[in-house]
Amino acid sequence: MADFGELEAQDGLRMPWNVIPGTKEEETNCVIPVSAIYTPLKLLRSHVSPLPYSPLRCRSCRSVLNPFSVVDFSACVWICPFCFNRNPFPLNYSSISENNLPPELFPHSTTVEYLCGSSSSSPSPPVFLFVLDTCLISEELDFLKSSLSQALGLLPDSSIIGLITFGSHVHVHELGFHHCSKSYVFKGHKELTKDQLLDHLNFFLKNPKPSSGVIAGARDGLSSEDIARFLLPASDCQFTLQSVLEELRTDPWPVEADERPSRCTGVALSVAAGLLRACFPGSGARIMAFVGGPSTEGAGAIVSRNLSEPIRSHKDIDKDFAPHYHKAIEFYEGLAKQLVHQGHVLDVFACAVDQVGIAELKVAVEGTGGFVVLAESFNHSVFRDSLKRVFQSGENNDLGLSSCGIFEVNCSKELKIQGVIGPCASLEKKGPLCSDTIVGQGGTSAWKMCGLDNSTSICLVFEVARKDKPDVALLSQGNQLYFQFLTYYQHSNGQTRLRVTTFSRRLVVGTGSIQELAAGFDQEAAAVVMARLVSFKMETQVEFDPVRWIDKSLISLCSRFGDYQKGSPASFTLSPQFSIFPQFMFNLRRSQFVQVFNNSPDETAYFRMILNRENVSNSVVMIQPSLISFSFHSEPEPIILDVSSIAADRILLLDSYFTVVIFHGMTIAQWRKAGYHNQPEHQAFAHLLQAPRDYANVIISERFPSPRLVICDQHGSQARFLLAKLNPSATCNTDAPIGGGGDIIFTDDASFEVFLDHLQRLVVQC
């Protein structure tokens, strides 16, 4: 799989099938669809500066000149590999020759960037509108204010800042009024139209309101003075904002003992969206919501104020016993459409022991490409470290925030696009490339990505359009399929850029195609595609059985690409290209993406949102965590994810992406409690204890959202974080003794060995 990692380092791209099946029937037999995990803004290994001119495009299909274009130097024309149209070079390319190629035609320039627009135009600063929940206990509100004050200190002085607080009412703070704290108050149970919002905020107190037309920004009737009352540069409002935060208190609305606080989250977000729509349409603006409990008031409420009504569970949603769920989903779908149209991003930082409504907010956060962070408290390191990383600057620490993205796809006519699973929204650009089958955001060849960063990844699903076998003569010439991904975006420095990735894959058909398909199979990318597909199907298909679907898919794939004698399970073998895939599927069946038991709807939505935006390497860790052993006998080394890996004299480090666990074996824990690591003669033991801490700190510092760190001992209560992820090869039902200070898992789940045995038996029967 190192070769596939090289492709990702070059173009930010991984595909399950790097050799494409030639017909629709053969693609169906391959089980996993032709697809790609693409990171549009990945920091590539061979970084080149953006080209300071506009791209040269095909007159017919609008694809961009690329290394796969055929160039006729004598006629000074280039042939598009997608539509085969001949395009003349403009005059500034008149000196082109085999020894004088433009950068976009270099063989290694499969990914290039262009600067769009005039370089003299002043870049627009980023806009941050903070929306704070005040229905918190005083300690939690103090933690939130402290973290927010630190984060504001990391912002550039040119950043535009606004503040909205909410509880039972919504308060829009006028930061441009420096004499004292001043805010406009809106009822939490009443929705406002855009015109009502502008009127109540006195936007047209000095200037007459336009009689017609859309009011959007200074150019359409709003004066810059009116906009600067609520949204102004950080350098101009830092003192006022800090004063407002210091004076901020918990919501004064009385709460009875048998009631929840009156919290109008939906209305507050609607007011924030309306304010940005009027003041900064089409700019790189983010609504950053900090929520500490469930919404109980107005639109978007997920539960009533009465504590006797429980917050919806998975079972309630499945059986339609959640009275507020569908109304809240409908409201946030409307909010998502509004934000996408405006080009704005919604980020949610949810810190509460109870649910806050992430399951309902998912459509708005994911549709705009926003962040989501879920923690137990505003004082938890998961929240504090994650918030700090959003605003950090520097080559190694920043997230590379970009905005106002538009993603387009072009491909050879032998393929059609079914859709995209990931943080984007359809632009409904119909065309011959669109498939009738829709997966995720489908029925289009262009998508809006309001917010994206260096790690934002999307999953594109294609289908082979050809039903009959291609012409043999064509295949004998080496039939190639071409793909081109175009990403327009506003860089964090304000520049508008276009990144173009063009690549080719070979099409195969016939009796010998199985070996060629197998040679190009990327089992890590395939596991990630399966995880995204099963998550999507669980959310959109009624009565969908995810475990059965995964099992059937795995059996079909193994029966096609496995080597076996019919009726003989012992003869079954898989080539190295497929050998780890059954293990990935075993862990996917047990993962938090499929097993919702013991997880709330908010937690499940959170896990799936992170999965749908991360690259292959990070997603694989979510599906199958990594386990590293630290001991006196060897250097730190990865070991199998099995309960047999537990030993009394060993420290284990489990990385499951959302949680990092440092697990001390029984003997190690006893020595630590005895304080041996504090004695000079036991420095080796002190170094052994520190090594996994250092390793965990590196993981935590590079990841967003920041994972939870759990330090536990064998047989301790928090050891469950490790045991839940291990293969239960030794359980309370097995007779095999566990030696060496090992452990057992109290579960009735089947082990991987049993799973593999059943898989072999079923495959050889096919």
Side-chain angles (χ1 to χ4, degrees):
M1 289 180 285
D3 294 339
F4 303 129
E6 289 294 315
L7 294 175
E8 186 175 20
Q10 180 179 343
D11 293 318
L13 177 78
R14 295 280 289 271
M15 297 183 71
W17 302 108
N18 289 280
V19 177
I20 309 298
T23 65
K24 193 174 185 66
E25 180 182 359
E26 290 188 355
E27 184 203 17
T28 303
N29 293 336
C30 288
V31 182
I32 300 170
V34 177
S35 47
I37 305 290
Y38 179 59
T39 309
L41 303 187
K42 180 177 175 61
L43 297 175
L44 303 179
R45 179 181 55 196
S46 56
H47 176 71
V48 293
S49 302
L51 302 178
Y53 50 84
S54 298
L56 195 59
R57 311 196 69 155
C58 174
R59 294 183 298 180
S60 177
C61 68
R62 305 299 297 162
S63 63
V64 174
L65 179 67
N66 58 82
F68 302 101
S69 304
V70 178
V71 179
D72 185 343
F73 296 104
S74 59
C76 204
V77 298
W78 62 280
I79 301 174
C80 173
F82 297 96
C83 65
F84 308 109
N85 187 61
R86 294 174 64 87
N87 301 277
F89 282 106
L91 293 177
N92 55 318
Y93 283 79
S94 59
S95 61
I96 189 173
S97 67
E98 292 184 7
N99 299 321
N100 185 27
L101 293 175
E104 58 266 42
L105 285 178
F106 291 165
H108 64 272
S109 297
T110 49
T111 295
V112 294
E113 275 198 5
Y114 298 89
L115 285 180
C116 303
S118 174
S119 58
S120 61
S121 58
S122 58
S124 57
V127 181
F128 298 96
L129 179 53
F130 298 100
V131 181
L132 274 60
D133 179 5
T134 59
C135 290
L136 307 171
I137 60 175
S138 57
E139 291 85 356
E140 282 292 298
L141 187 59
D142 290 340
F143 293 144
L144 174 58
K145 292 191 294 184
S146 175
S147 295
L148 196 58
S149 297
Q150 294 177 8
L152 291 173
L154 300 173
L155 282 174
D157 290 340
S158 60
S159 301
I160 306 297
I161 296 178
L163 178 65
I164 293 177
T165 58
F166 69 94
S168 56
H169 296 76
V170 179
H171 298 255
V172 181
H173 294 266
E174 188 174 336
L175 300 180
F177 191 79
H178 303 290
H179 305 289
C180 64
S181 298
K182 180 181 179 182
S183 63
Y184 292 78
V185 184
F186 301 90
K187 294 181 179 179
H189 62 271
K190 184 178 180 182
E191 290 188 67
L192 297 172
T193 64
K194 180 185 174 182
D195 290 336
Q196 290 175 330
L197 178 65
L198 295 177
D199 289 339
H200 291 172
L201 293 177
N202 294 332
F203 270 98
F204 301 104
L205 195 61
K206 299 179 180 178
N207 302 322
K209 182 178 180 180
S211 57
S212 62
V214 179
I215 303 170
R219 69 177 186 273
D220 291 329
L222 296 186
S223 66
S224 56
E225 291 81 6
D226 282 332
I227 295 174
R229 289 164 54 210
F230 303 99
L231 294 154
L232 64 165
S235 57
D236 296 340
C237 69
Q238 193 163 9
F239 177 78
T240 305
L241 183 58
Q242 290 292 350
S243 300
V244 172
L245 289 177
E246 290 175 4
E247 297 173 3
L248 199 60
R249 298 293 181 266
T250 57
D251 188 67
W253 197 262
V255 181
E256 300 294 335
D258 59 344
E259 289 185 346
R260 297 181 176 90
S262 176
R263 182 182 280 108
C264 56
T265 308
V267 175
L269 295 177
S270 180
V271 170
L275 182 61
L276 288 181
R277 179 185 180 185
C279 298
F280 291 96
S283 64
R286 308 185 78 98
I287 299 173
M288 307 192 77
F290 301 85
V291 187
S295 176
T296 59
E297 190 78 33
I302 67 167
V303 69
S304 69
R305 295 190 62 189
N306 196 334
L307 276 173
S308 61
E309 179 186 332
I311 299 180
R312 77 283 178 278
S313 63
H314 280 293
K315 182 180 289 187
D316 294 331
I317 295 173
D318 293 340
K319 295 187 176 182
D320 204 16
F321 289 161
H324 307 275
Y325 181 74
H326 295 292
K327 290 182 180 178
I329 290 288
E330 184 179 356
F331 169 76
Y332 287 118
E333 283 178 345
L335 181 65
K337 291 180 180 178
Q338 178 183 342
L339 290 173
V340 169
H341 178 72
Q342 298 170 193
H344 297 153
V345 183
L346 173 62
D347 302 321
V348 176
F349 295 82
C351 298
V353 177
D354 210 342
Q355 299 185 73
V356 304
I358 295 295
E360 289 82 359
L361 280 161
K362 179 177 183 291
V363 62
V365 176
E366 196 166 58
T368 60
F371 298 132
V372 58
V373 176
L374 193 62
E376 297 174 358
S377 166
F378 285 108
N379 192 39
H380 201 286
S381 60
V382 171
F383 166 72
R384 289 187 282 105
D385 295 344
S386 299
L387 181 63
K388 191 183 299 182
R389 279 215 66 195
V390 173
F391 299 109
Q392 276 179 338
S393 60
E395 294 183 0
N396 299 323
N397 294 324
D398 70 329
L399 297 176
L401 297 183
S402 300
S403 56
C404 303
I406 294 179
F407 178 75
E408 295 184 4
V409 174
N410 195 10
C411 60
S412 299
K413 63 180 180 180
E414 287 84 359
L415 296 173
K416 289 186 181 296
I417 306 164
Q418 291 187 345
V420 168
I421 301 176
C424 61
S426 171
L427 285 177
E428 299 182 359
K429 182 181 178 182
K430 308 292 183 180
L433 294 178
C434 301
S435 169
D436 294 333
T437 305
I438 293 178
V439 176
Q441 300 288 334
T444 180
S445 59
W447 296 263
K448 187 76 170 285
M449 301 182 72
C450 300
L452 63 167
D453 56 71
N454 295 338
S455 64
T456 302
S457 303
I458 54 178
C459 175
L460 297 102
V461 183
F462 300 89
E463 71 174 8
V464 178
R466 190 191 298 269
K467 296 183 179 180
D468 54 344
K469 292 184 178 181
D471 184 23
V472 177
L474 185 63
L475 286 176
S476 64
Q477 299 172 3
N479 190 25
Q480 296 288 123
L481 300 183
Y482 298 95
F483 304 77
Q484 190 171 80
F485 299 157
L486 299 92
T487 309
Y488 300 86
Y489 69 100
Q490 181 179 315
H491 193 267
S492 55
N493 62 12
Q495 294 177 339
T496 301
R497 298 184 179 183
L498 167 63
R499 176 174 288 201
V500 181
T501 296
T502 312
F503 59 99
S504 174
R505 294 293 184 268
R506 190 161 53 89
L507 184 100
V508 296
V509 68
T511 55
S513 63
I514 292 183
Q515 289 76 17
E516 295 182 82
L517 288 169
F521 184 69
D522 183 349
Q523 46 196 335
E524 287 187 344
V528 176
V529 170
M530 289 289 286
R532 292 206 189 192
L533 284 174
V534 74
S535 298
F536 168 72
K537 290 176 180 291
M538 289 181 71
E539 293 178 350
T540 57
Q541 296 184 11
V542 182
E543 303 297 330
F544 175 71
D545 188 340
V547 174
R548 182 176 177 84
W549 182 80
I550 293 172
D551 290 347
K552 288 181 65 176
S553 301
L554 180 60
I555 292 169
S556 299
L557 188 74
C558 291
S559 64
R560 177 167 174 79
F561 292 96
D563 186 14
Y564 60 90
Q565 296 177 3
K566 192 172 179 63
S568 175
S571 65
F572 176 80
T573 58
L574 282 172
S575 64
Q577 291 82 5
F578 291 86
S579 58
I580 310 178
F581 190 71
Q583 189 173 329
F584 285 147
M585 293 300 98
F586 171 75
N587 286 287
L588 177 60
R589 294 165 87 253
R590 305 174 69 231
S591 71
Q592 62 270 35
F593 309 115
V594 174
Q595 301 296 335
V596 299
F597 177 75
N598 208 31
N599 285 331
S600 67
D602 274 15
E603 290 173 314
T604 300
Y606 172 68
F607 295 142
R608 290 175 179 170
M609 276 193 281
I610 302 299
L611 171 73
N612 286 346
R613 66 175 292 117
E614 282 299 330
N615 59 25
V616 171
S617 301
N618 287 338
S619 299
V620 166
V621 174
M622 300 180 206
I623 298 168
Q624 180 172 297
S626 64
L627 190 64
I628 299 176
S629 169
F630 296 82
S631 69
F632 289 113
H633 312 298
S634 63
E635 294 293 323
E637 58 181 353
I639 56 176
I640 60 173
L641 193 69
D642 193 281
V643 67
S644 62
S645 297
I646 296 177
D649 60 346
R650 178 184 289 173
I651 301 176
L652 299 178
L653 187 142
L654 177 85
D655 179 12
S656 63
Y657 190 85
F658 301 101
T659 306
V660 176
V661 183
I662 298 177
F663 178 92
H664 299 109
M666 185 167 51
T667 302
I668 298 290
Q670 291 172 351
W671 291 349
R672 190 198 71 241
K673 292 175 183 177
Y676 289 166
H677 58 291
N678 297 322
Q679 300 176 9
E681 62 269 25
H682 294 297
Q683 287 301 306
F685 181 54
H687 292 319
L688 179 64
L689 288 178
Q690 187 61 36
R693 296 283 189 99
D694 295 339
Y695 197 99
N697 290 336
V698 172
I699 294 174
I700 293 172
S701 65
E702 295 176 347
R703 186 166 294 168
F704 183 89
S706 179
R708 177 181 181 180
L709 177 63
V710 176
I711 301 176
C712 60
D713 299 334
Q714 187 175 0
H715 307 310
S717 62
Q718 290 192 313
R720 67 186 188 275
F721 287 99
L722 172 73
L723 297 178
K725 298 295 183 181
L726 299 180
N727 172 41
S729 60
T731 70
C732 53
N733 298 322
T734 59
D735 297 328
I738 304 299
D743 214 330
I744 63 172
I745 297 178
F746 292 89
T747 181
D748 292 327
D749 291 345
S751 66
F752 177 65
E753 292 74 15
V754 175
F755 172 80
L756 191 60
D757 180 64
H758 281 277
L759 173 65
Q760 293 173 350
R761 293 178 183 274
L762 292 170
V763 167
V764 299
Q765 293 174 5
C766 295

